[in-house]
Amino acid sequence: MTWAPDQTRATNMPGMPAMAQAYARWVNAQGGIDGHELRVLTCNEQNTPTGAAACARRAVREHAVAVVGSYSQNGRAFMAPLEAAGIPYIGGYGVTEDEFTSPLSYPVNGGLAALIAGHGMQLAESCRKVSLVRPDTLAGDRLPKLLDAGLKNSSKRGAVDIRAVEDATEYTAQAATARDKAGTESGCVTAVLGERTQTFFDSFRRLPRSTGGARADGGEKKDSVRISSVLGSVGQPVIDRTGGARSPFEGAFVTGWYPEADDKSWEPMRKVIREHAFADNRVDPNDAGVQTTWIAYTVLKEVIESLDTDTITGSRISEALDQGARVDTGGLTPPLRWMYEDLLGAPDFPRIVNHAVTFQVVRKGRLVAQRPGFVDVGPTVTNRG
């Protein structure tokens, strides 16, 4: 099963179930996974605990062998039913604590913890002061310490913490506060509001310039405010929708889990999308949710092939992962393995095995690498606060 919220007022990830269905069409056209037909169930998680629990119960009822490449902020609601039924959770988006604590969770990235800690490291190189605008939620409460840990790697002071309602329709007050607190001398405003990040920066762009001449276009002037975010809150699809090279995100810093969208490592995924997603515009190869789903199903495929058995069960999949099944994602992540010695063991995030991020920047309307390769944020996540 693959689940994600769709048509809600907060973050929506319809591309994840759609990518799962395209993956199934592709792999079944090749004869399945080690001869097994892949049947994908999808579920609208609705961004509610009730919706997440309902999806998990359906996975149990329909005997799913794994939940793969999914998005939910409601870890407590979905993880308990999966654990009771022995169903592994492979490659969730990484937004809940449960994804990094449950023994049946196998994350393919470092989640928001890695992104935010890495973003602090990225901003520390260019920003004198930083304002962080983040959701006024339990998950959002974790973000300031993680960002500060990255900033303090370069002896920078902590960011100004500005809370915001996750599903607001405008953020004028928060935008003004963020700009004023960051200052106009090499100041940076970062927003991590999921799908509402675009709404925030629209409010930011509309602020009157009389209080300091701040710019939201990412210009290099010393007296301007630079904007930034992380993948999932800002990505290539958002940049394209907001004007490309004329987007307000031009020049913005962005921290991601994976290589930039134009990297050749994504070509196998792009080929599957071209041939098996047909005209489904939900499946955008530049979307972080779609990319995470591709990687998660890569894990599932390699693990099932390693089993070499006629009967596939959730317990057999999780046992293989626990015993050291190693997955090569073709350069999209470092090699993945979930044995005890591979776990980062960070407070609150013990099951992180991939603590690499990428530093990107928006240039001429495209997210491109600010520096080549991966940056290891494991020590920063572990020693935060």
Side-chain angles (χ1 to χ4, degrees):
M1 174 175 277
T2 296
W3 63 52
D6 190 15
Q7 297 182 336
T8 73
R9 293 183 61 193
T11 299
N12 295 297
M13 289 284 178
M16 299 182 80
M19 180 71 242
Q21 292 170 323
Y23 189 97
R25 287 191 290 268
W26 167 67
V27 81
N28 289 333
Q30 311 299 314
I33 302 179
D34 196 29
H36 301 276
E37 179 186 1
L38 175 62
R39 183 166 69 96
V40 169
L41 308 173
T42 63
C43 190
N44 184 356
E45 183 268 357
Q46 299 177 350
N47 262 326
T48 66
T50 301
C55 287
R57 289 195 299 269
R58 183 180 165 214
V60 174
R61 185 171 64 250
E62 301 208 32
H63 306 289
V65 298
V67 174
V68 186
S70 296
Y71 180 101
S72 177
Q73 299 185 48
N74 302 290
R76 292 181 182 177
F78 72 73
M79 195 59 79
L82 297 185
E83 288 177 343
I87 299 175
Y89 188 74
I90 300 173
Y93 197 77
V95 293
T96 71
E97 176 183 341
D98 301 77
E99 294 174 66
F100 298 103
T101 57
S102 171
L104 281 179
S105 180
Y106 302 90
V108 299
N109 58 50
L112 271 178
L115 285 184
I116 300 299
H119 199 53
M121 295 170 64
Q122 185 180 19
L123 296 183
E125 299 176 354
S126 303
C127 307
R128 191 176 69 86
K129 293 176 66 177
V130 177
S131 292
L132 168 65
V133 183
R134 51 85 172 183
D136 189 9
T137 63
L138 187 62
D141 289 344
R142 297 182 177 275
L143 304 187
K145 284 188 177 181
L146 288 161
L147 187 72
D148 288 351
L151 290 170
K152 290 174 183 175
N153 267 3
S154 297
S155 301
K156 293 289 176 71
R157 71 175 72 181
V160 178
D161 180 23
I162 300 169
R163 304 182 184 194
V165 177
E166 189 175 28
D167 59 356
T169 57
E170 62 88 24
Y171 294 96
T172 302
Q174 293 86 353
T177 301
R179 188 183 68 178
D180 292 345
K181 295 294 185 181
T184 57
E185 184 182 345
S186 300
C188 290
V189 171
T190 186
V192 183
L193 294 165
E195 200 163 272
R196 296 296 183 180
T197 302
Q198 179 180 334
T199 304
F200 170 82
F201 281 120
D202 186 58
S203 296
F204 186 87
R205 178 176 59 86
R206 295 172 186 274
L207 290 176
R209 297 172 181 266
S210 58
T211 60
R215 286 170 30 186
D217 62 3
E220 299 286 349
K221 286 175 62 179
K222 287 278 187 177
D223 62 347
S224 66
V225 176
R226 195 86 177 250
I227 65 172
S228 72
S229 190
V230 297
L231 207 65
S233 287
V234 171
Q236 192 61 52
V238 173
I239 296 164
D240 293 341
R241 287 198 305 269
T242 55
R246 296 184 177 182
S247 165
F249 297 105
E250 183 68 18
F253 296 121
V254 179
T255 304
W257 293 303
Y258 315 125
E260 65 273 19
D262 293 335
D263 190 278
K264 64 181 180 179
S265 301
W266 292 113
E267 184 51 34
M269 180 191 73
R270 290 179 176 274
K271 186 172 186 292
V272 168
I273 292 173
R274 287 194 300 267
E275 296 178 358
H276 296 275
F278 308 116
D280 192 340
N281 59 14
R282 295 174 299 170
V283 188
D284 188 333
N286 300 316
D287 178 73
V290 169
Q291 294 171 348
T292 298
T293 302
W294 169 262
I295 294 170
Y297 272 94
T298 299
V299 172
L300 180 73
K301 181 175 183 290
E302 292 201 19
V303 171
I304 289 177
E305 288 173 344
S306 75
L307 293 175
D308 191 25
T309 181
D310 292 336
T311 304
I312 304 299
T313 65
S315 60
R316 286 184 174 178
I317 291 173
S318 57
E319 183 179 4
L321 290 167
D322 292 339
Q323 291 183 353
R326 185 177 183 273
V327 178
D328 184 346
T329 63
L332 299 175
T333 68
L336 300 174
R337 197 178 67 164
W338 292 268
M339 292 186 71
Y340 179 79
E341 55 265 35
D342 302 306
L343 305 179
L344 181 62
D348 301 326
F349 310 101
R351 290 190 65 80
I352 290 179
V353 297
N354 173 14
H355 32 91
V357 300
T358 56
F359 291 171
Q360 302 175 32
V361 65
V362 183
R363 292 192 181 124
K364 298 181 179 178
R366 300 296 299 176
L367 269 171
V368 298
Q370 184 188 17
R371 65 162 69 172
F374 293 107
V375 178
D376 184 5
V377 300
T380 303
V381 173
T382 302
N383 299 322
R384 75 188 195 283

